[in-house]
Amino acid sequence: MRKLNAALERFALRHPRFGIPNLMRYLVIGNVIVFFLLRMSSYAAVSFLSFQWDRILRGELWRLVTFLFMPSTAEPFTLILSLYFMYFVGNLLEQEWGTPKFNLYYFSGAALTVLTGIISYYAFGSSGGVSTYYVGLSMFLAFAALYPDARLMLFYVIPVKAKWLAIADAALFAVDVIGALLAGNFLAALLPVAAMLNFLVFFWCDLTDLLSQKRGLARHRNSHQTIQFKSAVRQQRKKEAQRGYRHKCDICGRTDTEYPDLEFRYCSRCAGYHCFCSDHIFQHEHYRE
């Protein structure tokens, strides 16, 4: 997985002119046009654009591309929200990655979707229902991975960080897979898996590095060489309560409990930690090892 990720990175760097600039603009416009055709006529009028592997085998090769413009929903309000969000997230990803890498991300997700439809056709005899719905959701996962603390307005009212919405997005993937399996719709179960696989290919190095970093931090926290600050503070306070004072001069023996107005200091030239009152901080023999 790491080698594949590195190969994609190299391809994007070596081919700066690869891809379609402002790809999301054309996809959104295409979805809107097809949606209006659906509203004015029926699905039968635009069905020649959908993905159907048996028709592609008969020479209708345009379906390998035109299915990208098929709306994922027939509800106008839901479609407007999904297209706006797809356009917003897609543009941010293109600005962050550049046109080549963003195009690779989207089209590799679309290619895995096509492959899923082909597998479903030969395994279950059907390829209907193939869409880029989960490719759009995987774009949001990519956005959340790059900007985990970005605040988005849920229902235009509630500010929520992108990482929490990404967790909900991943949960939706899992729910859809389980629901499709229980219903016996194996194509619907494979589509989310294909989109998630595309996400993992592009973010495998980031995810593994993050996990390694967290494991390293956990080992560091649990190491006997690491000072547990809160625990050390509690132990120090317990010792102070038992002794009845916090500071005690090594020369005269006066404490901060007996003389609350007296200042105490620790000598930086002495070996170890030795406390002295203000009268003896500069008048004492330094402790040696």
Side-chain angles (χ1 to χ4, degrees):
M1 193 77 79
R2 186 177 287 270
K3 291 183 179 180
L4 181 57
N5 180 276
L8 292 170
E9 292 282 355
R10 286 196 301 271
F11 180 88
L13 290 173
R14 293 176 181 175
H15 301 83
R17 295 187 179 181
F18 172 79
I20 305 171
N22 299 314
L23 174 63
M24 284 298 102
R25 179 189 303 173
Y26 302 113
L27 290 173
V28 167
I29 291 173
N31 273 261
V32 170
I33 292 173
V34 175
F35 176 77
F36 278 113
L37 292 175
L38 278 169
R39 300 292 289 185
M40 289 187 296
S41 55
S42 63
Y43 176 79
V46 295
S47 62
F48 70 96
L49 301 175
S50 64
F51 182 91
Q52 295 183 26
W53 184 242
D54 55 340
R55 297 295 183 89
I56 294 172
L57 291 175
R58 297 174 190 172
E60 299 180 8
L61 300 180
W62 64 83
R63 292 175 181 268
L64 291 170
V65 177
T66 55
F67 85 98
L68 300 174
F69 303 105
M70 293 294 290
S72 58
T73 178
E75 294 294 331
F77 182 71
T78 305
L79 181 66
I80 290 172
L81 288 180
S82 63
L83 290 180
Y84 169 76
F85 197 68
M86 186 172 71
Y87 181 78
F88 169 74
V89 171
N91 280 344
L92 285 177
L93 290 176
E94 186 170 359
Q95 291 173 15
E96 176 70 24
W97 282 341
T99 298
K101 185 174 179 179
F102 174 67
N103 276 249
L104 279 174
Y105 186 83
Y106 187 85
F107 286 124
S108 64
L112 286 173
T113 300
V114 168
L115 181 61
T116 302
I118 296 172
I119 293 173
S120 176
Y121 176 79
Y122 288 110
F124 312 113
S126 173
S127 62
V130 172
S131 72
T132 57
Y133 171 72
Y134 291 104
V135 177
L137 290 181
S138 72
M139 285 171 50
F140 176 70
L141 288 178
F143 167 79
L146 293 173
Y147 309 102
D149 294 321
R151 291 186 177 274
L152 302 175
M153 299 303 293
L154 185 63
F155 305 119
Y156 298 96
V157 177
I158 307 171
V160 182
K161 288 187 177 182
K163 59 184 177 183
W164 303 123
L165 291 177
I167 293 173
D169 194 10
L172 177 63
F173 274 62
V175 169
D176 287 350
V177 170
I178 295 172
L181 289 175
L182 292 176
N185 189 344
F186 296 102
L187 174 59
L190 289 174
L191 289 174
V193 174
M196 185 60 74
L197 178 61
N198 185 55
F199 169 78
L200 291 176
V201 167
F202 278 80
F203 285 91
W204 182 258
C205 294
D206 296 327
L207 292 174
T208 54
D209 291 344
L210 179 61
L211 290 174
S212 298
Q213 181 183 10
K214 287 187 176 296
R215 284 197 296 266
L217 288 173
R219 286 195 297 268
H220 177 70
R221 291 194 192 100
N222 297 325
S223 173
H224 68 279
Q225 297 178 342
T226 302
I227 297 176
Q228 303 295 332
F229 180 75
K230 292 183 179 180
S231 177
V233 169
R234 286 194 298 268
Q235 292 177 5
Q236 180 64 25
R237 288 177 178 174
K238 185 177 180 180
K239 289 180 180 179
E240 292 171 6
Q242 292 173 350
R243 293 181 308 192
Y245 62 86
R246 184 176 184 183
H247 301 297
K248 180 180 179 180
C249 179
D250 280 13
I251 302 299
C252 63
R254 288 183 292 182
T255 66
D256 56 346
T257 303
E258 299 170 345
Y259 300 89
D261 296 330
L262 191 63
E263 293 185 0
F264 292 85
R265 296 287 185 271
Y266 287 85
C267 181
S268 60
R269 296 178 61 185
C270 290
Y273 295 94
H274 295 278
C275 181
F276 303 95
C277 65
S278 56
D279 296 333
H280 298 104
I281 184 66
F282 298 112
Q283 300 178 9
H284 67 273
E285 292 186 9
H286 298 294
Y287 288 84
R288 305 298 180 189
E289 292 290 349

